[in-house]
Amino acid sequence: MVQPLIARDDDGTEVCGPCVGFAADYTCKQCGRTGNPHSRGRCAHCVLGERVNALLAGPDGTITSQLEPLAAALADAPSPFPAIQWLKESPNTKLLARLASEGNELSHELLDELPPSRSQRYIRQLLVHTGVLEERNEDLERIPGWLEHELADKPAAHASLARPFLHWFLLRHARQRAAIRRHPASADRDLRRRVSVALDFLAWMDQRGLALADLAQEHIDDWITGATSQRRYLIRYFLKWTASRRLTRELTVPSIPSQEPQGLLDDDDRWQLLQRCLTDDALPTDVRAGGAITLLFGTSTERLCHLTPEHLKFGDKHAHLLLGRHPVLLPPRLAELLRQLAEQPRPRPQLSRAHPGPQWLFPGMVPGKPISTHGMTQKLNRHGIPVRTARNGALAALAADLPSPILADVTGMHRHTALRWVAYARRDWAEYLAARADDLKDEQ
């Protein structure tokens, strides 16, 4: 008879209950499995299954065939106790229970009608992860739902312009770019900003009694002059669309003033932080690896979050990481950290998936998704690794030594961005040499 091991003897060997005089019965009265006792003689697996059924039950008290894959994935959680706690306390499960109790067939369109929230995004991805809903480019496809909520208190005339501007101009081009992009890139924030600026501009026009057909260059100049940030320059996208539809004449929006990188971590501090990432066992492994990659290669946080084991190449002597077109050599300690991330068990929630997706080096808590860029930035900053200045410092150092085509190939950045970094680094280095030469003259 199998008995759970509940103690250790003097030699440290694990022993069962009867051997230490504790003859409790750990056999589940419902399924007959041993171990994981929960309540009323049942194991945690049976209790979890019962609560999943209660959570996902429709109006008739049964689970619909559409939700059966989700029910099976939740009930089969390898760690039933945390899963039971999650079902009881998570606000996500409250939304899921409400959707199931209404009895409607779940769809992306149904979820789009809900107010945008963290729970809505989590439940959508949970349904995609378990095969209940089809996968879609969520960064783009959730924007129409966001717009409808934004337009709730806006004039009908503004809505009649904002909808086609988003659907037939912004989203059409964004989908085309996403189809050919080699690396994942989130566009939702930029698209929302462009729509928000367009709505602000329409409100600004109403205050001045202007119609689109009346717009002249002087009005655009007034709009830009009153800007408190560079946000207003984004009106160029809306005006390009209105001109193409012959709603306005051709109008010019000035180029956004170029800015130098704001804050660079100097080399001494950067190497000190890198040494800490590679040697400090007190730091979490993902923080050490993510921080080291940022400090060495200036990788964007978005690209960092989307790294998978497929980006790692381990050889007999060396390991490489593929960030751009060509792999870069990894220091042995960083290679070992990334190997640990590639081989570590997945964090909760551990759910089976109808169609296996990528295995992320930096997984998030949302099923099937990597950690968010915001979450990764906060995590690194919280452990003393300033992401923005660390990345700027690394890119400035690389740009000072590498031609722009090689910098673009190695880091994966756009060639125009690499060219700007090289121009900035070379000019900064030339200014340093000139200042140093003046100091030497003064010393003589």
Side-chain angles (χ1 to χ4, degrees):
M1 180 178 180
V2 177
Q3 293 285 351
L5 303 174
I6 67 169
R8 295 181 183 273
D9 61 17
D10 295 337
D11 298 329
T13 304
E14 295 178 335
V15 294
C16 64
C19 290
V20 295
F22 188 75
D25 185 5
Y26 290 97
T27 303
C28 176
K29 296 179 180 178
Q30 182 170 335
C31 69
R33 282 183 289 192
T34 301
N36 292 307
H38 188 276
S39 60
R40 298 179 182 178
R42 296 182 303 160
C43 69
H45 292 283
C46 290
V47 173
L48 175 60
E50 179 183 88
R51 297 193 181 182
V52 168
N53 289 335
L55 175 77
L56 300 180
D60 61 354
T62 63
I63 297 176
T64 64
S65 59
Q66 184 190 25
L67 289 179
E68 285 178 358
L70 174 60
L74 292 173
D76 290 342
S79 301
F81 288 100
I84 292 171
Q85 195 72 12
W86 179 75
L87 292 178
K88 179 181 178 181
E89 298 180 354
S90 174
N92 301 320
T93 57
K94 294 179 174 59
L95 174 58
L96 185 58
R98 179 166 68 84
L99 292 172
S101 66
E102 292 172 353
N104 298 318
E105 182 176 359
L106 298 184
S107 65
H108 285 296
E109 291 72 23
L110 178 65
L111 294 176
D112 287 339
E113 295 175 1
L114 301 176
S117 67
R118 183 174 298 179
S119 292
Q120 178 226 34
R121 293 192 294 272
Y122 185 96
I123 293 304
R124 187 195 302 275
Q125 184 55 30
L126 183 66
L127 296 173
V128 169
H129 183 74
T130 53
V132 175
L133 297 182
E134 292 183 357
E135 188 124 25
R136 70 177 190 175
N137 188 331
E138 198 56 37
D139 283 340
L140 298 181
E141 303 308 329
R142 69 184 177 192
I143 298 178
W146 164 84
L147 176 61
E148 293 307 313
H149 288 280
E150 287 292 302
L151 295 177
D153 59 349
K154 298 294 190 296
H158 295 187
S160 66
L161 290 167
R163 289 191 182 101
F165 170 55
L166 172 65
H167 286 277
W168 302 114
F169 184 72
L170 294 179
L171 281 178
R172 182 168 64 88
H173 291 295
R175 290 184 180 117
Q176 290 172 351
R177 289 194 299 271
I180 62 175
R181 191 181 292 274
R182 293 180 62 247
H183 299 285
S186 177
D188 62 322
R189 180 179 297 181
D190 288 340
L191 297 187
R192 287 199 302 267
R193 284 176 177 170
R194 294 170 191 178
V195 174
S196 296
V197 167
L199 291 172
D200 291 344
F201 182 70
L202 291 172
W204 180 85
M205 288 175 54
D206 286 351
Q207 293 173 0
R208 288 156 179 77
L210 294 171
L212 284 175
D214 301 329
L215 280 179
Q217 187 62 47
E218 63 188 50
H219 299 131
I220 306 305
D221 296 340
D222 289 344
W223 164 262
I224 297 298
T225 302
T228 57
S229 69
Q230 294 184 352
R231 177 184 171 94
R232 286 197 174 191
Y233 288 88
L234 296 177
I235 197 60
R236 62 164 36 89
Y237 298 97
F238 181 66
L239 294 178
K240 181 179 179 180
W241 175 75
T242 57
S244 70
R245 300 288 298 273
R246 298 183 180 180
L247 300 174
T248 62
R249 67 193 73 181
E250 293 286 345
L251 299 167
T252 302
V253 178
S255 299
I256 298 176
S258 59
Q259 286 188 325
E260 303 292 356
Q262 299 297 306
L264 275 75
L265 194 66
D266 66 56
D267 279 348
D268 289 341
D269 290 339
R270 189 164 62 89
W271 291 120
Q272 185 176 355
L273 273 179
L274 178 61
Q275 179 72 11
R276 180 175 171 231
C277 288
L278 297 178
T279 60
D280 189 354
D281 292 335
L283 288 176
T285 304
D286 59 342
V287 170
R288 295 173 64 188
I293 292 173
T294 302
L295 290 160
L296 271 176
F297 308 117
T299 305
S300 70
T301 309
E302 185 160 35
R303 187 160 299 172
L304 175 68
C305 294
H306 283 85
L307 290 177
T308 69
E310 283 68 35
H311 290 97
L312 298 174
K313 308 297 179 185
F314 292 101
D316 294 336
K317 295 183 179 180
H318 303 292
H320 294 79
L321 174 65
L322 187 64
L323 297 171
R325 294 180 182 275
H326 301 291
V328 293
L329 181 65
L330 292 172
R333 290 185 178 179
L334 177 54
E336 181 56 31
L337 291 174
L338 292 173
R339 187 193 296 273
Q340 292 177 28
L341 291 180
E343 295 176 353
Q344 71 181 0
R346 300 297 94 192
R348 67 171 181 90
Q350 294 176 339
L351 300 171
S352 59
R353 183 171 185 171
H355 306 288
Q359 178 184 337
W360 307 108
L361 291 179
F362 302 96
M365 297 312 298
V366 178
K369 288 290 186 181
I371 186 173
S372 67
T373 55
H374 179 68
M376 175 62 86
T377 299
Q378 281 194 321
K379 195 169 190 177
L380 293 178
N381 288 339
R382 192 165 59 247
H383 286 88
I385 303 170
V387 173
R388 182 172 62 85
T389 57
R391 180 171 183 253
N392 287 346
L395 289 176
L398 290 172
D401 295 331
L402 299 175
S404 59
I406 296 178
L407 179 63
D409 283 348
V410 168
T411 62
M413 69 171 59
H414 194 278
R415 61 183 183 277
H416 292 161
T417 305
L419 192 62
R420 288 197 298 270
W421 268 105
V422 169
Y424 166 77
R426 300 289 166 82
R427 187 189 67 247
D428 187 62
W429 182 244
E431 291 173 355
Y432 169 79
L433 291 177
R436 182 62 178 158
D438 291 340
D439 291 340
L440 291 175
K441 288 179 181 179
D442 293 340
E443 292 176 2
Q444 293 174 356

